[in-house]
Amino acid sequence: STHGIYSVGLRFFPVYGPWSNPGTDVCDLAEQLCSRSIGDDNDEDTINDEKMREDEESRFDEDVKDYVYIDDAVDAIMAAMQYRPPGQDPSPVVFNVGTGQGSTLKQIRDEMMSHFPPNFFDDKSQTIRSSKQRYNIQRQATISYASTEHSKSLLGFEAQVPLSVGI
């Protein structure tokens, strides 16, 4: 705005879907679940430390994020490219790109597991594992989801793909 250039910013909440980046929570979770089968006992990533297991369980049950499907993220980009504010010399604007609803990794894991046959996993395969054991500290739950009123009213953007369909 200092130089008279109008801009639109997009604040993306975690995007998931085909071709997701390795290292993201949803991608890592999908890889963990898909690579496990009955009798898979030799997994060196399984959490043995009780404190680590409690921290990981807490992250799965308490952390809330607004996961948005890639198709919805692309729709938001297309809507932002066509957005023209009214009036002369408009201020830059930033839009949230999300669903406006939070989900836990436990909900995502449960949704993913519903797509496998009932006996696909044994008890050990449902053990929650650490991703590079990065959560080995005392922590508080994170809650983060988009406020989408601005995106709905000005861009006409509203996420269309629910988590159950995206997974």
Side-chain angles (χ1 to χ4, degrees), residues 35-74:
S35 67
R36 301 297 300 252
S37 63
I38 294 175
D40 187 5
D41 294 333
N42 298 325
D43 188 351
E44 57 192 50
D45 289 335
T46 301
I47 299 172
N48 294 318
D49 178 39
E50 191 62 35
K51 173 70 173 127
M52 183 64 124
R53 183 175 286 118
E54 289 172 13
D55 288 345
E56 194 71 11
E57 286 283 352
S58 171
R59 182 175 77 94
F60 267 66
D61 292 339
E62 296 174 6
D63 284 358
V64 177
K65 294 182 182 177
D66 186 344
Y67 296 94
V68 61
Y69 192 67
I70 184 66
D71 291 354
D72 287 331
V74 170

PDB file of all heavy atoms in Angstrom, residues 35-74:
ATOM      1  N   SER A  35       1.136 -48.340   5.932  1.00  0.00           N
ATOM      2  CA  SER A  35       2.282 -49.239   5.921  1.00  0.00           C
ATOM      3  C   SER A  35       2.172 -50.323   6.988  1.00  0.00           C
ATOM      4  O   SER A  35       2.988 -51.219   7.032  1.00  0.00           O
ATOM      5  CB  SER A  35       3.580 -48.447   6.116  1.00  0.00           C
ATOM      6  OG  SER A  35       3.620 -47.904   7.421  1.00  0.00           O
ATOM      7  N   ARG A  36       1.169 -50.267   7.823  1.00  0.00           N
ATOM      8  CA  ARG A  36       1.001 -51.250   8.891  1.00  0.00           C
ATOM      9  C   ARG A  36       0.064 -52.363   8.449  1.00  0.00           C
ATOM     10  O   ARG A  36      -0.869 -52.152   7.704  1.00  0.00           O
ATOM     11  CB  ARG A  36       0.406 -50.591  10.139  1.00  0.00           C
ATOM     12  CG  ARG A  36       1.218 -49.459  10.712  1.00  0.00           C
ATOM     13  CD  ARG A  36       2.582 -49.901  11.203  1.00  0.00           C
ATOM     14  NE  ARG A  36       2.477 -50.890  12.225  1.00  0.00           N
ATOM     15  CZ  ARG A  36       2.744 -50.694  13.501  1.00  0.00           C
ATOM     16  NH1 ARG A  36       3.121 -49.520  13.909  1.00  0.00           N
ATOM     17  NH2 ARG A  36       2.634 -51.662  14.376  1.00  0.00           N
ATOM     18  N   SER A  37       0.319 -53.555   8.926  1.00  0.00           N
ATOM     19  CA  SER A  37      -0.582 -54.681   8.674  1.00  0.00           C
ATOM     20  C   SER A  37      -0.513 -55.629   9.854  1.00  0.00           C
ATOM     21  O   SER A  37       0.326 -55.500  10.730  1.00  0.00           O
ATOM     22  CB  SER A  37      -0.197 -55.407   7.385  1.00  0.00           C
ATOM     23  OG  SER A  37       1.096 -55.948   7.514  1.00  0.00           O
ATOM     24  N   ILE A  38      -1.367 -56.623   9.878  1.00  0.00           N
ATOM     25  CA  ILE A  38      -1.404 -57.589  10.971  1.00  0.00           C
ATOM     26  C   ILE A  38      -0.045 -58.251  11.097  1.00  0.00           C
ATOM     27  O   ILE A  38       0.541 -58.689  10.122  1.00  0.00           O
ATOM     28  CB  ILE A  38      -2.501 -58.646  10.728  1.00  0.00           C
ATOM     29  CG1 ILE A  38      -3.858 -57.949  10.777  1.00  0.00           C
ATOM     30  CG2 ILE A  38      -2.434 -59.770  11.739  1.00  0.00           C
ATOM     31  CD1 ILE A  38      -5.010 -58.834  10.447  1.00  0.00           C
ATOM     32  N   GLY A  39       0.439 -58.322  12.339  1.00  0.00           N
ATOM     33  CA  GLY A  39       1.695 -59.001  12.605  1.00  0.00           C
ATOM     34  C   GLY A  39       2.926 -58.148  12.366  1.00  0.00           C
ATOM     35  O   GLY A  39       4.037 -58.660  12.421  1.00  0.00           O
ATOM     36  N   ASP A  40       2.795 -56.888  12.137  1.00  0.00           N
ATOM     37  CA  ASP A  40       3.936 -56.011  11.906  1.00  0.00           C
ATOM     38  C   ASP A  40       4.501 -55.577  13.253  1.00  0.00           C
ATOM     39  O   ASP A  40       4.183 -54.530  13.771  1.00  0.00           O
ATOM     40  CB  ASP A  40       3.500 -54.789  11.083  1.00  0.00           C
ATOM     41  CG  ASP A  40       4.655 -53.914  10.653  1.00  0.00           C
ATOM     42  OD1 ASP A  40       5.818 -54.303  10.908  1.00  0.00           O
ATOM     43  OD2 ASP A  40       4.385 -52.855  10.061  1.00  0.00           O
ATOM     44  N   ASP A  41       5.363 -56.413  13.835  1.00  0.00           N
ATOM     45  CA  ASP A  41       5.892 -56.163  15.176  1.00  0.00           C
ATOM     46  C   ASP A  41       7.232 -55.447  15.167  1.00  0.00           C
ATOM     47  O   ASP A  41       7.670 -54.941  16.179  1.00  0.00           O
ATOM     48  CB  ASP A  41       6.083 -57.486  15.932  1.00  0.00           C
ATOM     49  CG  ASP A  41       4.751 -58.164  16.200  1.00  0.00           C
ATOM     50  OD1 ASP A  41       3.740 -57.461  16.286  1.00  0.00           O
ATOM     51  OD2 ASP A  41       4.746 -59.400  16.324  1.00  0.00           O
ATOM     52  N   ASN A  42       7.907 -55.403  14.057  1.00  0.00           N
ATOM     53  CA  ASN A  42       9.269 -54.885  14.010  1.00  0.00           C
ATOM     54  C   ASN A  42       9.316 -53.443  13.569  1.00  0.00           C
ATOM     55  O   ASN A  42       9.972 -53.103  12.612  1.00  0.00           O
ATOM     56  CB  ASN A  42      10.134 -55.739  13.070  1.00  0.00           C
ATOM     57  CG  ASN A  42      10.224 -57.156  13.557  1.00  0.00           C
ATOM     58  OD1 ASN A  42      10.246 -57.393  14.752  1.00  0.00           O
ATOM     59  ND2 ASN A  42      10.278 -58.100  12.631  1.00  0.00           N
ATOM     60  N   ASP A  43       8.631 -52.587  14.286  1.00  0.00           N
ATOM     61  CA  ASP A  43       8.630 -51.163  13.935  1.00  0.00           C
ATOM     62  C   ASP A  43       9.438 -50.405  14.963  1.00  0.00           C
ATOM     63  O   ASP A  43       9.033 -50.243  16.105  1.00  0.00           O
ATOM     64  CB  ASP A  43       7.206 -50.629  13.884  1.00  0.00           C
ATOM     65  CG  ASP A  43       7.131 -49.218  13.349  1.00  0.00           C
ATOM     66  OD1 ASP A  43       8.201 -48.601  13.173  1.00  0.00           O
ATOM     67  OD2 ASP A  43       6.012 -48.757  13.120  1.00  0.00           O
ATOM     68  N   GLU A  44      10.610 -49.907  14.573  1.00  0.00           N
ATOM     69  CA  GLU A  44      11.486 -49.243  15.514  1.00  0.00           C
ATOM     70  C   GLU A  44      10.969 -47.874  15.917  1.00  0.00           C
ATOM     71  O   GLU A  44      11.467 -47.275  16.857  1.00  0.00           O
ATOM     72  CB  GLU A  44      12.894 -49.132  14.954  1.00  0.00           C
ATOM     73  CG  GLU A  44      12.965 -48.418  13.626  1.00  0.00           C
ATOM     74  CD  GLU A  44      14.319 -48.568  12.966  1.00  0.00           C
ATOM     75  OE1 GLU A  44      14.792 -49.697  12.860  1.00  0.00           O
ATOM     76  OE2 GLU A  44      14.875 -47.530  12.571  1.00  0.00           O
ATOM     77  N   ASP A  45       9.947 -47.343  15.219  1.00  0.00           N
ATOM     78  CA  ASP A  45       9.395 -46.039  15.576  1.00  0.00           C
ATOM     79  C   ASP A  45       8.331 -46.121  16.661  1.00  0.00           C
ATOM     80  O   ASP A  45       7.851 -45.110  17.127  1.00  0.00           O
ATOM     81  CB  ASP A  45       8.761 -45.358  14.358  1.00  0.00           C
ATOM     82  CG  ASP A  45       9.808 -44.902  13.364  1.00  0.00           C
ATOM     83  OD1 ASP A  45      10.958 -44.663  13.789  1.00  0.00           O
ATOM     84  OD2 ASP A  45       9.472 -44.783  12.176  1.00  0.00           O
ATOM     85  N   THR A  46       7.924 -47.340  17.054  1.00  0.00           N
ATOM     86  CA  THR A  46       6.888 -47.479  18.071  1.00  0.00           C
ATOM     87  C   THR A  46       7.362 -46.857  19.365  1.00  0.00           C
ATOM     88  O   THR A  46       8.500 -47.034  19.780  1.00  0.00           O
ATOM     89  CB  THR A  46       6.533 -48.964  18.301  1.00  0.00           C
ATOM     90  OG1 THR A  46       6.090 -49.496  17.070  1.00  0.00           O
ATOM     91  CG2 THR A  46       5.459 -49.112  19.353  1.00  0.00           C
ATOM     92  N   ILE A  47       6.502 -46.135  20.017  1.00  0.00           N
ATOM     93  CA  ILE A  47       6.862 -45.434  21.245  1.00  0.00           C
ATOM     94  C   ILE A  47       6.933 -46.443  22.385  1.00  0.00           C
ATOM     95  O   ILE A  47       5.973 -47.138  22.670  1.00  0.00           O
ATOM     96  CB  ILE A  47       5.815 -44.357  21.582  1.00  0.00           C
ATOM     97  CG1 ILE A  47       5.761 -43.339  20.463  1.00  0.00           C
ATOM     98  CG2 ILE A  47       6.138 -43.699  22.906  1.00  0.00           C
ATOM     99  CD1 ILE A  47       4.644 -42.374  20.613  1.00  0.00           C
ATOM    100  N   ASN A  48       8.082 -46.521  23.033  1.00  0.00           N
ATOM    101  CA  ASN A  48       8.245 -47.417  24.177  1.00  0.00           C
ATOM    102  C   ASN A  48       8.163 -46.651  25.486  1.00  0.00           C
ATOM    103  O   ASN A  48       7.781 -47.190  26.503  1.00  0.00           O
ATOM    104  CB  ASN A  48       9.594 -48.141  24.094  1.00  0.00           C
ATOM    105  CG  ASN A  48       9.638 -49.072  22.907  1.00  0.00           C
ATOM    106  OD1 ASN A  48       8.658 -49.760  22.638  1.00  0.00           O
ATOM    107  ND2 ASN A  48      10.750 -49.097  22.189  1.00  0.00           N
ATOM    108  N   ASP A  49       8.525 -45.412  25.484  1.00  0.00           N
ATOM    109  CA  ASP A  49       8.546 -44.601  26.676  1.00  0.00           C
ATOM    110  C   ASP A  49       7.131 -44.143  27.024  1.00  0.00           C
ATOM    111  O   ASP A  49       6.440 -43.551  26.212  1.00  0.00           O
ATOM    112  CB  ASP A  49       9.463 -43.401  26.425  1.00  0.00           C
ATOM    113  CG  ASP A  49       9.530 -42.455  27.603  1.00  0.00           C
ATOM    114  OD1 ASP A  49       9.547 -42.927  28.746  1.00  0.00           O
ATOM    115  OD2 ASP A  49       9.570 -41.241  27.351  1.00  0.00           O
ATOM    116  N   GLU A  50       6.712 -44.414  28.255  1.00  0.00           N
ATOM    117  CA  GLU A  50       5.339 -44.103  28.686  1.00  0.00           C
ATOM    118  C   GLU A  50       5.050 -42.603  28.633  1.00  0.00           C
ATOM    119  O   GLU A  50       3.979 -42.179  28.202  1.00  0.00           O
ATOM    120  CB  GLU A  50       5.100 -44.626  30.100  1.00  0.00           C
ATOM    121  CG  GLU A  50       3.651 -44.594  30.526  1.00  0.00           C
ATOM    122  CD  GLU A  50       2.754 -45.464  29.651  1.00  0.00           C
ATOM    123  OE1 GLU A  50       3.193 -46.528  29.184  1.00  0.00           O
ATOM    124  OE2 GLU A  50       1.596 -45.066  29.416  1.00  0.00           O
ATOM    125  N   LYS A  51       6.002 -41.765  29.023  1.00  0.00           N
ATOM    126  CA  LYS A  51       5.798 -40.317  28.991  1.00  0.00           C
ATOM    127  C   LYS A  51       5.586 -39.844  27.558  1.00  0.00           C
ATOM    128  O   LYS A  51       4.705 -39.037  27.279  1.00  0.00           O
ATOM    129  CB  LYS A  51       7.023 -39.612  29.612  1.00  0.00           C
ATOM    130  CG  LYS A  51       7.002 -38.109  29.479  1.00  0.00           C
ATOM    131  CD  LYS A  51       5.949 -37.489  30.348  1.00  0.00           C
ATOM    132  CE  LYS A  51       6.086 -35.979  30.294  1.00  0.00           C
ATOM    133  NZ  LYS A  51       4.901 -35.293  29.962  1.00  0.00           N
ATOM    134  N   MET A  52       6.389 -40.373  26.623  1.00  0.00           N
ATOM    135  CA  MET A  52       6.256 -40.003  25.220  1.00  0.00           C
ATOM    136  C   MET A  52       4.882 -40.413  24.703  1.00  0.00           C
ATOM    137  O   MET A  52       4.235 -39.676  23.972  1.00  0.00           O
ATOM    138  CB  MET A  52       7.366 -40.661  24.391  1.00  0.00           C
ATOM    139  CG  MET A  52       7.323 -40.277  22.963  1.00  0.00           C
ATOM    140  SD  MET A  52       7.633 -38.527  22.798  1.00  0.00           S
ATOM    141  CE  MET A  52       8.989 -38.591  21.705  1.00  0.00           C
ATOM    142  N   ARG A  53       4.415 -41.587  25.093  1.00  0.00           N
ATOM    143  CA  ARG A  53       3.106 -42.070  24.652  1.00  0.00           C
ATOM    144  C   ARG A  53       2.002 -41.134  25.154  1.00  0.00           C
ATOM    145  O   ARG A  53       1.093 -40.796  24.423  1.00  0.00           O
ATOM    146  CB  ARG A  53       2.878 -43.499  25.143  1.00  0.00           C
ATOM    147  CG  ARG A  53       1.552 -44.073  24.651  1.00  0.00           C
ATOM    148  CD  ARG A  53       1.375 -45.532  25.029  1.00  0.00           C
ATOM    149  NE  ARG A  53       2.217 -46.358  24.201  1.00  0.00           N
ATOM    150  CZ  ARG A  53       3.196 -47.136  24.652  1.00  0.00           C
ATOM    151  NH1 ARG A  53       3.454 -47.203  25.938  1.00  0.00           N
ATOM    152  NH2 ARG A  53       3.909 -47.862  23.835  1.00  0.00           N
ATOM    153  N   GLU A  54       2.120 -40.678  26.406  1.00  0.00           N
ATOM    154  CA  GLU A  54       1.115 -39.764  26.953  1.00  0.00           C
ATOM    155  C   GLU A  54       1.117 -38.436  26.206  1.00  0.00           C
ATOM    156  O   GLU A  54       0.059 -37.888  25.905  1.00  0.00           O
ATOM    157  CB  GLU A  54       1.375 -39.534  28.440  1.00  0.00           C
ATOM    158  CG  GLU A  54       1.067 -40.744  29.303  1.00  0.00           C
ATOM    159  CD  GLU A  54       1.515 -40.531  30.741  1.00  0.00           C
ATOM    160  OE1 GLU A  54       1.837 -39.379  31.107  1.00  0.00           O
ATOM    161  OE2 GLU A  54       1.543 -41.520  31.488  1.00  0.00           O
ATOM    162  N   ASP A  55       2.306 -37.899  25.920  1.00  0.00           N
ATOM    163  CA  ASP A  55       2.401 -36.639  25.176  1.00  0.00           C
ATOM    164  C   ASP A  55       1.789 -36.789  23.785  1.00  0.00           C
ATOM    165  O   ASP A  55       1.092 -35.911  23.301  1.00  0.00           O
ATOM    166  CB  ASP A  55       3.856 -36.189  25.040  1.00  0.00           C
ATOM    167  CG  ASP A  55       4.437 -35.685  26.349  1.00  0.00           C
ATOM    168  OD1 ASP A  55       3.646 -35.416  27.271  1.00  0.00           O
ATOM    169  OD2 ASP A  55       5.670 -35.572  26.438  1.00  0.00           O
ATOM    170  N   GLU A  56       2.067 -37.909  23.118  1.00  0.00           N
ATOM    171  CA  GLU A  56       1.559 -38.132  21.771  1.00  0.00           C
ATOM    172  C   GLU A  56       0.037 -38.308  21.793  1.00  0.00           C
ATOM    173  O   GLU A  56      -0.672 -37.779  20.953  1.00  0.00           O
ATOM    174  CB  GLU A  56       2.242 -39.363  21.168  1.00  0.00           C
ATOM    175  CG  GLU A  56       2.055 -39.509  19.697  1.00  0.00           C
ATOM    176  CD  GLU A  56       2.821 -38.469  18.888  1.00  0.00           C
ATOM    177  OE1 GLU A  56       3.658 -37.750  19.430  1.00  0.00           O
ATOM    178  OE2 GLU A  56       2.540 -38.378  17.682  1.00  0.00           O
ATOM    179  N   GLU A  57      -0.468 -39.059  22.793  1.00  0.00           N
ATOM    180  CA  GLU A  57      -1.920 -39.218  22.942  1.00  0.00           C
ATOM    181  C   GLU A  57      -2.572 -37.860  23.133  1.00  0.00           C
ATOM    182  O   GLU A  57      -3.609 -37.570  22.549  1.00  0.00           O
ATOM    183  CB  GLU A  57      -2.252 -40.122  24.140  1.00  0.00           C
ATOM    184  CG  GLU A  57      -1.992 -41.585  23.919  1.00  0.00           C
ATOM    185  CD  GLU A  57      -3.044 -42.258  23.068  1.00  0.00           C
ATOM    186  OE1 GLU A  57      -4.076 -41.631  22.754  1.00  0.00           O
ATOM    187  OE2 GLU A  57      -2.831 -43.416  22.701  1.00  0.00           O
ATOM    188  N   SER A  58      -1.954 -37.023  23.956  1.00  0.00           N
ATOM    189  CA  SER A  58      -2.482 -35.687  24.206  1.00  0.00           C
ATOM    190  C   SER A  58      -2.558 -34.887  22.912  1.00  0.00           C
ATOM    191  O   SER A  58      -3.542 -34.210  22.638  1.00  0.00           O
ATOM    192  CB  SER A  58      -1.593 -34.975  25.226  1.00  0.00           C
ATOM    193  OG  SER A  58      -1.955 -33.633  25.337  1.00  0.00           O
ATOM    194  N   ARG A  59      -1.503 -34.965  22.090  1.00  0.00           N
ATOM    195  CA  ARG A  59      -1.485 -34.232  20.822  1.00  0.00           C
ATOM    196  C   ARG A  59      -2.607 -34.710  19.917  1.00  0.00           C
ATOM    197  O   ARG A  59      -3.270 -33.914  19.266  1.00  0.00           O
ATOM    198  CB  ARG A  59      -0.127 -34.421  20.139  1.00  0.00           C
ATOM    199  CG  ARG A  59       0.013 -33.670  18.851  1.00  0.00           C
ATOM    200  CD  ARG A  59       1.412 -33.795  18.300  1.00  0.00           C
ATOM    201  NE  ARG A  59       1.658 -35.064  17.686  1.00  0.00           N
ATOM    202  CZ  ARG A  59       1.520 -35.306  16.383  1.00  0.00           C
ATOM    203  NH1 ARG A  59       1.129 -34.351  15.581  1.00  0.00           N
ATOM    204  NH2 ARG A  59       1.770 -36.480  15.892  1.00  0.00           N
ATOM    205  N   PHE A  60      -2.838 -36.014  19.878  1.00  0.00           N
ATOM    206  CA  PHE A  60      -3.881 -36.564  19.018  1.00  0.00           C
ATOM    207  C   PHE A  60      -5.273 -36.180  19.506  1.00  0.00           C
ATOM    208  O   PHE A  60      -6.173 -35.974  18.714  1.00  0.00           O
ATOM    209  CB  PHE A  60      -3.767 -38.095  18.956  1.00  0.00           C
ATOM    210  CG  PHE A  60      -2.942 -38.571  17.803  1.00  0.00           C
ATOM    211  CD1 PHE A  60      -1.592 -38.297  17.722  1.00  0.00           C
ATOM    212  CD2 PHE A  60      -3.523 -39.288  16.782  1.00  0.00           C
ATOM    213  CE1 PHE A  60      -0.831 -38.721  16.662  1.00  0.00           C
ATOM    214  CE2 PHE A  60      -2.769 -39.730  15.720  1.00  0.00           C
ATOM    215  CZ  PHE A  60      -1.421 -39.446  15.656  1.00  0.00           C
ATOM    216  N   ASP A  61      -5.445 -36.112  20.805  1.00  0.00           N
ATOM    217  CA  ASP A  61      -6.774 -35.867  21.362  1.00  0.00           C
ATOM    218  C   ASP A  61      -7.088 -34.389  21.569  1.00  0.00           C
ATOM    219  O   ASP A  61      -8.246 -34.009  21.560  1.00  0.00           O
ATOM    220  CB  ASP A  61      -6.920 -36.576  22.717  1.00  0.00           C
ATOM    221  CG  ASP A  61      -6.929 -38.084  22.576  1.00  0.00           C
ATOM    222  OD1 ASP A  61      -7.227 -38.581  21.474  1.00  0.00           O
ATOM    223  OD2 ASP A  61      -6.622 -38.771  23.563  1.00  0.00           O
ATOM    224  N   GLU A  62      -6.063 -33.562  21.775  1.00  0.00           N
ATOM    225  CA  GLU A  62      -6.314 -32.194  22.196  1.00  0.00           C
ATOM    226  C   GLU A  62      -6.006 -31.137  21.141  1.00  0.00           C
ATOM    227  O   GLU A  62      -6.658 -30.105  21.104  1.00  0.00           O
ATOM    228  CB  GLU A  62      -5.519 -31.893  23.467  1.00  0.00           C
ATOM    229  CG  GLU A  62      -5.955 -32.751  24.644  1.00  0.00           C
ATOM    230  CD  GLU A  62      -5.075 -32.561  25.855  1.00  0.00           C
ATOM    231  OE1 GLU A  62      -4.187 -31.670  25.820  1.00  0.00           O
ATOM    232  OE2 GLU A  62      -5.259 -33.285  26.834  1.00  0.00           O
ATOM    233  N   ASP A  63      -4.975 -31.335  20.327  1.00  0.00           N
ATOM    234  CA  ASP A  63      -4.638 -30.334  19.316  1.00  0.00           C
ATOM    235  C   ASP A  63      -5.734 -30.278  18.266  1.00  0.00           C
ATOM    236  O   ASP A  63      -6.137 -31.303  17.724  1.00  0.00           O
ATOM    237  CB  ASP A  63      -3.309 -30.655  18.637  1.00  0.00           C
ATOM    238  CG  ASP A  63      -2.111 -30.332  19.506  1.00  0.00           C
ATOM    239  OD1 ASP A  63      -2.303 -29.822  20.625  1.00  0.00           O
ATOM    240  OD2 ASP A  63      -0.979 -30.588  19.062  1.00  0.00           O
ATOM    241  N   VAL A  64      -6.213 -29.095  17.996  1.00  0.00           N
ATOM    242  CA  VAL A  64      -7.282 -28.890  17.027  1.00  0.00           C
ATOM    243  C   VAL A  64      -6.765 -27.969  15.925  1.00  0.00           C
ATOM    244  O   VAL A  64      -6.254 -26.893  16.217  1.00  0.00           O
ATOM    245  CB  VAL A  64      -8.529 -28.266  17.693  1.00  0.00           C
ATOM    246  CG1 VAL A  64      -9.615 -27.989  16.659  1.00  0.00           C
ATOM    247  CG2 VAL A  64      -9.054 -29.166  18.800  1.00  0.00           C
ATOM    248  N   LYS A  65      -6.868 -28.431  14.686  1.00  0.00           N
ATOM    249  CA  LYS A  65      -6.459 -27.612  13.547  1.00  0.00           C
ATOM    250  C   LYS A  65      -7.563 -27.639  12.503  1.00  0.00           C
ATOM    251  O   LYS A  65      -8.356 -28.557  12.446  1.00  0.00           O
ATOM    252  CB  LYS A  65      -5.161 -28.148  12.927  1.00  0.00           C
ATOM    253  CG  LYS A  65      -3.962 -28.036  13.837  1.00  0.00           C
ATOM    254  CD  LYS A  65      -2.720 -28.532  13.146  1.00  0.00           C
ATOM    255  CE  LYS A  65      -1.523 -28.469  14.065  1.00  0.00           C
ATOM    256  NZ  LYS A  65      -0.321 -29.024  13.404  1.00  0.00           N
ATOM    257  N   ASP A  66      -7.560 -26.632  11.672  1.00  0.00           N
ATOM    258  CA  ASP A  66      -8.534 -26.504  10.590  1.00  0.00           C
ATOM    259  C   ASP A  66      -7.876 -27.021   9.311  1.00  0.00           C
ATOM    260  O   ASP A  66      -7.120 -26.330   8.658  1.00  0.00           O
ATOM    261  CB  ASP A  66      -8.923 -25.032  10.436  1.00  0.00           C
ATOM    262  CG  ASP A  66     -10.036 -24.815   9.427  1.00  0.00           C
ATOM    263  OD1 ASP A  66     -10.317 -25.728   8.626  1.00  0.00           O
ATOM    264  OD2 ASP A  66     -10.614 -23.722   9.437  1.00  0.00           O
ATOM    265  N   TYR A  67      -8.139 -28.280   8.971  1.00  0.00           N
ATOM    266  CA  TYR A  67      -7.550 -28.897   7.783  1.00  0.00           C
ATOM    267  C   TYR A  67      -8.436 -28.596   6.578  1.00  0.00           C
ATOM    268  O   TYR A  67      -9.631 -28.857   6.603  1.00  0.00           O
ATOM    269  CB  TYR A  67      -7.415 -30.410   7.976  1.00  0.00           C
ATOM    270  CG  TYR A  67      -6.462 -30.763   9.088  1.00  0.00           C
ATOM    271  CD1 TYR A  67      -6.917 -30.989  10.386  1.00  0.00           C
ATOM    272  CD2 TYR A  67      -5.104 -30.847   8.851  1.00  0.00           C
ATOM    273  CE1 TYR A  67      -6.039 -31.308  11.400  1.00  0.00           C
ATOM    274  CE2 TYR A  67      -4.213 -31.164   9.862  1.00  0.00           C
ATOM    275  CZ  TYR A  67      -4.692 -31.391  11.136  1.00  0.00           C
ATOM    276  OH  TYR A  67      -3.817 -31.696  12.143  1.00  0.00           O
ATOM    277  N   VAL A  68      -7.836 -28.054   5.522  1.00  0.00           N
ATOM    278  CA  VAL A  68      -8.591 -27.686   4.318  1.00  0.00           C
ATOM    279  C   VAL A  68      -8.085 -28.532   3.150  1.00  0.00           C
ATOM    280  O   VAL A  68      -6.876 -28.697   2.967  1.00  0.00           O
ATOM    281  CB  VAL A  68      -8.500 -26.172   4.030  1.00  0.00           C
ATOM    282  CG1 VAL A  68      -7.080 -25.728   3.796  1.00  0.00           C
ATOM    283  CG2 VAL A  68      -9.390 -25.774   2.877  1.00  0.00           C
ATOM    284  N   TYR A  69      -9.002 -29.073   2.383  1.00  0.00           N
ATOM    285  CA  TYR A  69      -8.667 -29.934   1.256  1.00  0.00           C
ATOM    286  C   TYR A  69      -8.070 -29.106   0.111  1.00  0.00           C
ATOM    287  O   TYR A  69      -8.454 -27.960  -0.111  1.00  0.00           O
ATOM    288  CB  TYR A  69      -9.929 -30.673   0.786  1.00  0.00           C
ATOM    289  CG  TYR A  69      -9.653 -31.791  -0.184  1.00  0.00           C
ATOM    290  CD1 TYR A  69      -8.969 -32.924   0.212  1.00  0.00           C
ATOM    291  CD2 TYR A  69     -10.066 -31.703  -1.511  1.00  0.00           C
ATOM    292  CE1 TYR A  69      -8.707 -33.952  -0.676  1.00  0.00           C
ATOM    293  CE2 TYR A  69      -9.815 -32.726  -2.407  1.00  0.00           C
ATOM    294  CZ  TYR A  69      -9.136 -33.854  -1.983  1.00  0.00           C
ATOM    295  OH  TYR A  69      -8.872 -34.871  -2.869  1.00  0.00           O
ATOM    296  N   ILE A  70      -7.144 -29.681  -0.626  1.00  0.00           N
ATOM    297  CA  ILE A  70      -6.411 -28.976  -1.677  1.00  0.00           C
ATOM    298  C   ILE A  70      -7.338 -28.346  -2.718  1.00  0.00           C
ATOM    299  O   ILE A  70      -7.093 -27.232  -3.175  1.00  0.00           O
ATOM    300  CB  ILE A  70      -5.367 -29.909  -2.353  1.00  0.00           C
ATOM    301  CG1 ILE A  70      -4.522 -29.152  -3.383  1.00  0.00           C
ATOM    302  CG2 ILE A  70      -6.031 -31.126  -2.977  1.00  0.00           C
ATOM    303  CD1 ILE A  70      -3.634 -28.100  -2.821  1.00  0.00           C
ATOM    304  N   ASP A  71      -8.415 -29.030  -3.099  1.00  0.00           N
ATOM    305  CA  ASP A  71      -9.342 -28.462  -4.086  1.00  0.00           C
ATOM    306  C   ASP A  71      -9.968 -27.167  -3.578  1.00  0.00           C
ATOM    307  O   ASP A  71     -10.159 -26.218  -4.346  1.00  0.00           O
ATOM    308  CB  ASP A  71     -10.440 -29.464  -4.452  1.00  0.00           C
ATOM    309  CG  ASP A  71      -9.919 -30.650  -5.248  1.00  0.00           C
ATOM    310  OD1 ASP A  71      -8.720 -30.657  -5.615  1.00  0.00           O
ATOM    311  OD2 ASP A  71     -10.712 -31.576  -5.506  1.00  0.00           O
ATOM    312  N   ASP A  72     -10.285 -27.131  -2.286  1.00  0.00           N
ATOM    313  CA  ASP A  72     -10.840 -25.906  -1.706  1.00  0.00           C
ATOM    314  C   ASP A  72      -9.792 -24.803  -1.670  1.00  0.00           C
ATOM    315  O   ASP A  72     -10.097 -23.630  -1.906  1.00  0.00           O
ATOM    316  CB  ASP A  72     -11.377 -26.173  -0.298  1.00  0.00           C
ATOM    317  CG  ASP A  72     -12.675 -26.963  -0.313  1.00  0.00           C
ATOM    318  OD1 ASP A  72     -13.434 -26.845  -1.299  1.00  0.00           O
ATOM    319  OD2 ASP A  72     -12.932 -27.697   0.659  1.00  0.00           O
ATOM    320  N   ALA A  73      -8.530 -25.155  -1.391  1.00  0.00           N
ATOM    321  CA  ALA A  73      -7.461 -24.155  -1.388  1.00  0.00           C
ATOM    322  C   ALA A  73      -7.292 -23.543  -2.779  1.00  0.00           C
ATOM    323  O   ALA A  73      -7.133 -22.326  -2.916  1.00  0.00           O
ATOM    324  CB  ALA A  73      -6.153 -24.795  -0.911  1.00  0.00           C
ATOM    325  N   VAL A  74      -7.370 -24.369  -3.811  1.00  0.00           N
ATOM    326  CA  VAL A  74      -7.261 -23.866  -5.189  1.00  0.00           C
ATOM    327  C   VAL A  74      -8.449 -22.958  -5.511  1.00  0.00           C
ATOM    328  O   VAL A  74      -8.282 -21.898  -6.120  1.00  0.00           O
ATOM    329  CB  VAL A  74      -7.159 -25.033  -6.199  1.00  0.00           C
ATOM    330  CG1 VAL A  74      -7.284 -24.535  -7.633  1.00  0.00           C
ATOM    331  CG2 VAL A  74      -5.845 -25.783  -6.001  1.00  0.00           C
TER     332      VAL A  74
END
